[in-house]
Every structure is written in structure tokens, then in C-alpha cells.
Amino acid sequence: MIKVIMSNLYNASRYKNVIINLLLKNNDFVTLMNPQKPPHNQLEIQDMLLGGTWFIDRKKYEVQGQLFDHNFVDDTTDEEKTFVFVETDINMIRQNIFTDFGLYICIFTSKSLIRITDDTVPSINEVEGMGYEVGHYGNRIDILCDTVDRILKGNRKIKGIGNIEPAERGFCTLYSPNNKYYGKCLKYNVTNLNEVENSCEN
């Protein structure tokens, strides 16, 4: 049995990917993000959300994406979309054993997409089917924030991450990268034990 100490910076990056994968697996989250239809049958909805460039049958397909592991919004985009980015920072290292990370999930959308009605995607009926009572219309950002929080609460001890708790201060704050968008940012605290025991056979 040996002890392996993972780099704090490695973990900060890895955590983002773990959270992004959890979001991609949640049907309500994907529906609220309303990704574009894949332009080719070899591409999937997850590809549309993550974005990228693909060459299929000698043709180039390029998708901006909506879900990122860095602070991103392209001011030049003409498409009205909802975006999410997941970011981490390192708040404190205690006795070189415990590391306290800040986890930020910022959710924002074009102002024209904030309100959910009978005619939007998803519609009011679909949102109510998710368990929300929103009345005549819903706020896409508020519902997405609650969906993300439910996902993380349902995975409070996520394998490979440790304990995730809402930040005592600044848990939910307004976030608007520019005047085209409206959104909110959720902050969580993650405590990680640096030493992980792994078995090793010689």
C-alpha cells in the first residue's frame, strides 16, 4: 500500500470535468440548456453542449458549445443561447494535507431566453413536469440554478472529489458577463484530503 499525493492544481482541473459530466447526464439540465440539434448523426447532444470541431465525410462541422471549463462568452456570437461555465480556485491549504477549493458554476443566458412560457423550449408544461410550480411563466436561470444545486446535493460526496457544501457567503450572486446576458453564479466549498492510498503490486 502506497500513498499518492495528487497535485492540487491537477485536482482543481479534474473537479471541473467531474462536475461537467454530472451536468451532462442530467436530462432536466440538458432540456433547460436547449442545445441545437446535431448537424450529423455521428454527433450527439453532448457534443453540441461541449462544442468542438469535427471532420466527417470530408466535411467540417464546428460548434461553439454552451458548457465550458473556463470563463467564456463570445461577444461575436449571433445565436441566442444559454451558457454555463465551471471554474475552481484554491482558497487554502492546511498542514499540506487538506485543500479547500472554491467551485463556481456560472449560468447565464441571452436576455430574450430568460422567460419560459407556453411557446419556449422547454415550455411551462415541461418545466412543471420537472417538478417546478412556476405559474404563468418561469425564469430559466432560477430554474437552472436550482437544477444544478439539486444535482450537487444529490452527489454531496462525489467520488474522487470529497465533500461539497454551499458557500456560507456569496453562495448565489448575480452574474452578467456583458449587457447581452443575465445570469447567476453558484459557489461551493470543496474540502479534499491530499493523500490517497492506492495498492501497488510489484
Side-chain angles (χ1 to χ4, degrees), residues 1 14 25 41 100 103 139 141 150 164 189 191 196:
M1 189 77 69
R14 182 170 60 88
K25 292 176 182 177
N41 58 16
D100 296 327
L103 170 66
N139 181 316
I141 294 302
R150 289 186 186 193
I164 296 181
N189 294 325
T191 299
V196 180

Side-chain angles (χ1 to χ4, degrees), residues 33-130:
M33 292 294 289
N34 188 25
Q36 69 184 77
K37 183 179 178 181
H40 193 280
N41 58 16
Q42 290 188 27
L43 300 176
E44 300 179 354
I45 289 297
Q46 289 188 353
D47 296 319
M48 299 299 99
L49 285 169
L50 294 174
T53 303
W54 300 268
F55 291 90
I56 304 173
D57 298 330
R58 298 183 181 180
K59 185 175 180 179
K60 181 179 179 181
Y61 296 91
E62 193 165 4
V63 177
Q64 179 190 34
Q66 296 171 250
L67 179 57
F68 304 98
D69 64 353
H70 58 280
N71 186 348
F72 171 85
V73 62
D74 188 351
D75 288 336
T76 64
T77 184
D78 294 326
E79 298 180 63
E80 295 183 333
K81 290 183 179 180
T82 301
F83 296 93
V84 172
F85 74 79
V86 179
E87 188 56 276
T88 55
D89 64 14
I90 298 174
N91 293 324
M92 183 183 299
I93 300 175
R94 292 174 284 149
Q95 301 173 337
N96 205 31
I97 297 176
F98 295 97
T99 304
D100 296 327
F101 294 88
L103 170 66
Y104 303 85
I105 303 177
C106 294
I107 304 167
F108 51 100
T109 192
S110 299
K111 290 182 177 179
S112 63
L113 298 178
I114 296 170
R115 179 171 289 193
I116 294 176
T117 67
D118 291 333
D119 302 317
T120 57
V121 179
S123 67
I124 283 290
N125 286 338
E126 289 175 295
V127 168
E128 289 180 345
M130 298 175 188

